[in-house]
Amino acid sequence: MHPHNPHESIILAPLRVITRGDKLLWLTLFGVFLAGLVVWIYQFVLGLGVTGLNRPVYWGIYLTNFVFFIGLAHSGTFISAILRVAGAGWRTPLTRAAEAITLFSLPFGVMSILCDMGRPDRILNLVFYGRFQSPLLWDVTAVGLYLLSSIFFFYFSLIPDIALCRDRLTDAPRWRRRMYEVLALGWQGTPDQFRRLDRVLDGMAIFMSMVVVTVHTVVSWIFGMTLQPGWHTALIGPFFLLGAIFSGTTAVVIVLAVLRKVYHLEKVLTPDLFNSLRKLLIVFTLGWSYMMGAEFLTTGYGNMTEEMVVLNDKFSGQYAPIFWTMVVLVFVVPLFIFLVKGKKSLGWLVGACVLVNIGMWLERFIVIVPTEASPRLLPYLGGGAYQPTWVEAVITLSLFAGMFLLYAVFTRFFPIVPIWETAEHHVGHAVEAAAIAEAK
Amino acid sequence: MDLGSLFNYLINSPGIGGAIAMTVLGGAIVFYVFLARWIVRGTPARGAKPKR
Amino acid sequence: MPRWGMVIDLDKCFACQSCTVACRMENNTPIAGPHQTEQDRAILWNEVLPFVEGEYPKVRMTFIPRPCQHCDEPACVKVCPVKATYKNEEGTVLVDYERCIGCRMCTLACPYAVRYFNWYPPEWPEALKAHLNPDPEVKPRPAGVVEKCTFCIQRRRKAEEQAKAEGRPFTATDYVPACVQTCTGHARYFGDLDDPNSLVFQLAHSPRAYRLFEELGTQPKVYYLKQG
């Protein structure tokens, strides 16, 4: 029925109570989200002129948020899909927490784009008049497919635990028990059902790994397919992809550390896990700096005029402060912490991950805005500048608040650590589970 | 119409792109719902009523 | 089918900006006002761009009037997700204001910065409101859509209707955009680039002729005759 897991009561404990602190948190987050909605309506009525966007900086904070949220989403898929395919058994306690980041950040990525459109009321034009030559249609298809697949991938791996909640949380209010009943789809936990579930998750893991690579590459191509200096580089796809996996994994570390503290999951989310993630992060930060180095060396050595203007703007011009802050936050300080301090101290590790996330948000900004501010016609037009307004700040905050809200509420209704996947005798892979059953 | 201009037509025509996107997404939903049912119910044996 | 192109003689242009003004009056472009213009929000379908080379005392000024280049391989058309911008059979690149979703990818794809976005609903000072062009094809655009130079497509339609009313065939010399008609220095020429007898064809093949950013492969149809 339900595989035996000695940590079951620890993992279910957070679901048995909703504290006043929770309600206050949810209310606050909801308030911020609502504020963003109101401000967006204000923007829709008055026009995008209320932002700091202008000519030539037509895309700014909203697009930065879009890329950032989609990047965050890659964390979950990386942990639960790519590592599953790689057979990394240590990932099992993390998969749901990581996938939840994916599930709850993707919708806000999509919302970021809606906030940026001049005529969001005409969104259905994408369906009726969509042209596949446009990178934006590739985005719609890829991100849409990613969102759908993530929802189902997440739901499928949640089913056995929903059934567990249905059977164990008998004290819960009626509506909540009914919700578990409906969502459990009549799951009985028979060996056949587990076998089919593992097969589906294996297959979807492979598919999701391919989708992940496609999605962020396609997202980068809305920049890369234009002829703008600094954007039109073949490296932009891999660069965005690695950046996404990198920032996503740091987000996973932060979320896990918070959950571990708040829900007392120290026995389940062990230091070993964080150590494995730390080693991955070292690889990622080195990989990211490799790509940055390759890009800038190639650009700088080539010395093409319009590209050098953008490069110099980032290195020593208008955007130098943001650029160098980014380098320090994404590479210099985190690498030091990952190598030296992070092994012994979870606090330092999480701190480094927070820095990386802030730095990666800045990195998206640095990719997008300086290129726009120095267009090819620069000698004729003069340079551009971008001063975001309170409208963009409030909407950005509200999107993050929305994501945190969904995540926080979720953790009180469903177990954030997969109980069935971390149970004894469950190795998270259909073939091996069948072999173990055979051997018994 | 040769293959080249057919490809051009599919890529460029408004509406066809939207149809492609919606087919992919719609097909995915249908497939995943089917998968959900299959996970829980399995493939019913021929002739026998599916046991739950 | 004529393939409309333009030639601008930089020796004759002295940057009076009459073309810019005429374009605005003909096409009902909204007035951004001084504050918005400072924020780089002004919409100028035709712009006269200054280009300064060298340092004092050896300074050289060039003024480039820059309408939409109406490229034969337009970067903007490629990226539009809904075909709100398209090239018609005569090679003119147009915008469907009813369909545009305001994503602004086209504004970023264009290397010539000819495309503009309506950041606010359109506004004019009271004095100018009485002088808006009543032609429905240049009806003021709402906020949230992209707009740009159309080679005054409404004049092409009017010229064809005029010719039909007068019972004669429509020829390529019957229609010119407002900027060409107004140019004080007679620096702008317009016509059928496919007609070897037309003035634009001959000027476009002159040794002084060049196009902006030719290396990008956009095949613009606005030719400039080199200064000096």
Side-chain angles (χ1 to χ4, degrees):
Chain A
M1 183 51 154
H2 300 294
H4 176 248
N5 187 327
H7 302 295
E8 187 185 294
S9 44
I10 300 177
I11 303 174
L12 277 184
L15 275 69
R16 295 188 186 276
V17 32
I18 295 179
T19 67
R20 277 186 60 197
D22 282 324
K23 296 195 180 145
L24 189 60
L25 177 69
W26 298 353
L27 210 60
T28 314
L29 290 174
F30 186 67
V32 175
F33 180 72
L34 217 58
L37 190 62
V38 170
V39 172
W40 177 72
I41 294 174
Y42 168 79
Q43 178 190 278
F44 179 64
V45 169
L46 285 176
L48 274 164
V50 301
T51 66
L53 298 169
N54 57 41
R55 171 187 186 235
V57 186
Y58 284 103
W59 282 347
I61 297 233
Y62 295 147
L63 263 282
T64 306
N65 290 340
F66 169 64
V67 181
F68 184 74
F69 279 117
I70 306 288
L72 271 188
H74 276 47
S75 58
T77 325
F78 176 66
I79 302 272
S80 55
I82 298 177
L83 287 185
R84 183 188 178 102
V85 172
W90 56 265
R91 73 174 210 295
T92 46
L94 322 174
T95 55
R96 189 165 300 147
E99 265 293 323
I101 301 179
T102 300
L103 193 62
F104 300 136
S105 64
L106 274 178
F108 296 98
V110 174
M111 272 185 240
S112 298
I113 287 291
L114 289 178
C115 291
D116 184 74
M117 283 170 73
R119 296 299 302 257
D121 55 307
R122 293 181 180 173
I123 185 117
L124 286 180
N125 283 4
L126 286 168
V127 174
F128 299 128
Y129 303 115
R131 277 179 76 246
F132 231 74
Q133 193 186 31
S134 169
L136 290 167
L137 247 287
W138 310 345
D139 246 5
V140 167
T141 312
V143 174
L145 186 61
Y146 188 29
L147 181 59
L148 277 177
S149 307
S150 294
I151 292 174
F152 281 94
F153 189 54
F154 188 73
Y155 175 54
F156 291 161
S157 47
L158 194 56
I159 291 177
D161 279 357
I162 298 177
L164 186 79
C165 291
R166 175 195 65 196
D167 296 336
R168 300 274 193 267
L169 298 178
T170 44
D171 284 346
R174 184 135 215 329
W175 67 266
R176 193 166 157 174
R177 277 180 287 135
R178 185 87 188 106
M179 175 182 78
Y180 292 135
E181 263 170 50
V182 169
L183 290 176
L185 293 186
W187 175 267
Q188 293 304 311
T190 66
D192 271 356
Q193 282 181 327
F194 270 114
R195 205 176 25 90
R196 285 193 296 267
L197 177 60
D198 264 333
R199 269 186 72 189
V200 167
L201 292 179
D202 280 345
M204 282 199 77
I206 298 175
F207 179 65
M208 296 287 281
S209 307
M210 300 192 302
V211 171
V212 149
V213 172
T214 313
V215 167
H216 225 68
T217 307
V218 161
V219 164
S220 76
W221 283 345
I222 59 175
F223 307 104
M225 293 291 158
T226 69
L227 293 174
Q228 296 281 359
W231 283 0
H232 194 64
T233 162
L235 195 62
I236 201 169
F239 181 61
F240 266 49
L241 181 61
L242 183 64
I245 296 183
F246 183 23
S247 66
T249 309
T250 52
V252 171
V253 170
I254 298 172
V255 165
L256 288 176
V258 169
L259 291 173
R260 185 175 189 262
K261 193 74 187 290
V262 171
Y263 294 141
H264 312 294
L265 298 171
E266 288 85 355
K267 285 224 193 85
V268 185
L269 301 176
T270 59
D272 271 350
L273 269 137
F274 288 97
N275 199 33
S276 301
L277 287 171
R278 184 186 62 90
K279 289 191 241 178
L280 276 178
L281 288 174
I282 294 174
V283 172
F284 293 154
T285 190
L286 288 174
W288 179 87
S289 53
Y290 159 68
M291 293 215 185
M292 289 287 268
E295 176 68 37
F296 289 132
L297 182 63
T298 310
T299 308
Y301 197 92
N303 205 24
M304 285 172 72
T305 319
E306 63 270 5
E307 289 187 352
M308 287 307 283
V309 173
V310 178
L311 188 69
N312 286 326
D313 226 11
K314 293 181 189 175
F315 271 41
S316 56
Q318 200 189 155
Y319 291 103
I322 303 182
F323 179 78
W324 291 112
T325 307
M326 166 195 83
V327 172
V328 165
L329 292 182
V330 177
F331 179 62
V332 176
V333 171
L335 185 63
F336 169 72
I337 295 179
F338 293 150
L339 285 173
V340 176
K341 287 278 191 183
K343 182 148 193 198
K344 303 263 171 58
S345 160
L346 185 57
W348 276 92
L349 184 65
V350 173
C353 289
V354 171
L355 294 181
V356 169
N357 262 297
I358 299 174
M360 285 307 278
W361 191 93
L362 291 177
E363 191 247 34
R364 276 23 183 244
F365 186 85
I366 285 287
V367 167
I368 298 176
V369 177
T371 287
E372 293 176 313
S374 301
R376 261 170 220 282
L377 269 188
L378 182 66
Y380 304 81
L381 277 178
Y386 174 48
Q387 191 81 318
T389 62
W390 65 272
V391 170
E392 290 153 293
V394 172
I395 289 184
T396 302
L397 272 172
S398 76
L399 293 175
F400 279 102
M403 183 177 84
F404 294 150
L405 175 65
L406 288 180
Y407 205 99
V409 171
F410 175 81
T411 57
R412 280 293 187 200
F413 285 88
F414 299 93
I416 197 61
V417 174
I419 297 177
W420 71 278
E421 276 190 274
T422 52
E424 295 167 349
H425 307 311
H426 190 93
V427 296
H429 200 283
V431 173
E432 292 176 48
I436 288 182
E438 281 276 318
K440 282 230 209 66
Chain B
M1 233 202 249
D2 67 297
L3 217 55
S5 46
L6 175 67
F7 181 71
N8 236 309
Y9 170 73
L10 289 175
I11 290 288
N12 276 305
S13 317
I16 304 256
I20 296 176
M22 289 303 115
T23 308
V24 169
L25 298 179
I29 296 182
V30 168
F31 181 63
Y32 290 140
V33 168
F34 162 77
L35 270 187
R37 293 177 52 121
W38 182 75
I39 289 174
V40 176
R41 299 190 188 178
T43 345
R46 297 220 181 283
K49 258 175 94 69
K51 253 172 88 179
R52 272 258 307 236
Chain C
M1 202 108 266
R3 195 166 63 101
W4 302 111
M6 192 182 279
V7 177
I8 303 179
D9 189 339
L10 296 179
D11 263 344
K12 294 189 182 172
C13 170
F14 52 90
C16 68
Q17 316 240 18
S18 303
C19 50
T20 306
V21 175
C23 168
R24 309 197 66 174
M25 298 305 288
E26 171 73 27
N27 293 295
N28 294 338
T29 32
I31 305 287
H35 180 54
Q36 287 293 302
T37 305
E38 242 178 62
Q39 294 193 343
D40 292 316
R41 300 258 182 85
I43 299 181
L44 296 166
W45 290 12
N46 181 82
E47 257 186 300
V48 179
L49 299 174
F51 182 43
V52 184
E53 285 176 288
E55 280 184 18
Y56 183 82
K58 286 208 162 96
V59 181
R60 183 184 155 86
M61 276 293 266
T62 315
F63 292 98
I64 312 264
R66 194 239 56 225
C68 170
Q69 308 284 297
H70 292 277
C71 307
D72 270 336
E73 302 273 343
C76 57
V77 169
K78 261 199 287 203
V79 298
C80 179
V82 294
K83 203 165 186 171
T85 190
Y86 59 99
K87 191 170 67 139
N88 72 7
E89 319 84 39
E90 296 181 342
T92 309
V93 179
L94 299 167
V95 178
D96 181 346
Y97 308 120
E98 305 299 308
R99 199 187 279 185
C100 175
I101 61 174
C103 70
R104 309 188 299 289
M105 185 159 183
C106 61
T107 61
L108 291 166
C110 175
Y112 306 101
V114 311
R115 302 183 68 104
Y116 300 86
F117 182 70
N118 281 282
W119 302 100
Y120 286 111
E123 263 179 29
W124 290 268
E126 219 40 62
L128 280 179
K129 273 201 197 132
H131 298 284
L132 289 177
N133 187 344
D135 192 313
E137 221 154 346
V138 288
K139 195 173 68 167
R141 280 68 60 186
V145 303
V146 166
E147 61 177 56
K148 69 167 190 70
C149 155
T150 60
F151 272 173
C152 290
I153 191 81
Q154 69 278 10
R155 282 173 161 237
R156 189 233 178 283
R157 193 198 75 238
K158 279 211 271 260
E160 183 149 18
E161 285 167 4
Q162 178 96 354
K164 216 194 305 188
E166 290 174 5
R168 57 177 170 83
F170 170 75
T171 61
T173 45
D174 282 331
Y175 137 68
V176 284
C179 54
V180 174
Q181 181 181 19
T182 307
C183 179
T184 327
H186 300 292
R188 300 175 82 129
Y189 306 87
F190 185 81
D192 181 3
L193 283 173
D194 279 344
D195 176 6
N197 295 320
S198 73
L199 189 51
V200 282
F201 179 92
Q202 284 159 15
L203 289 175
H205 287 81
S206 103
R208 284 172 61 212
Y210 76 97
R211 294 178 294 177
L212 294 176
F213 300 145
E214 295 221 39
E215 70 278 10
L216 293 181
T218 46
Q219 306 297 337
K221 294 205 289 294
V222 174
Y223 290 78
Y224 293 90
L225 298 179
K226 229 183 313 197
Q227 192 173 277

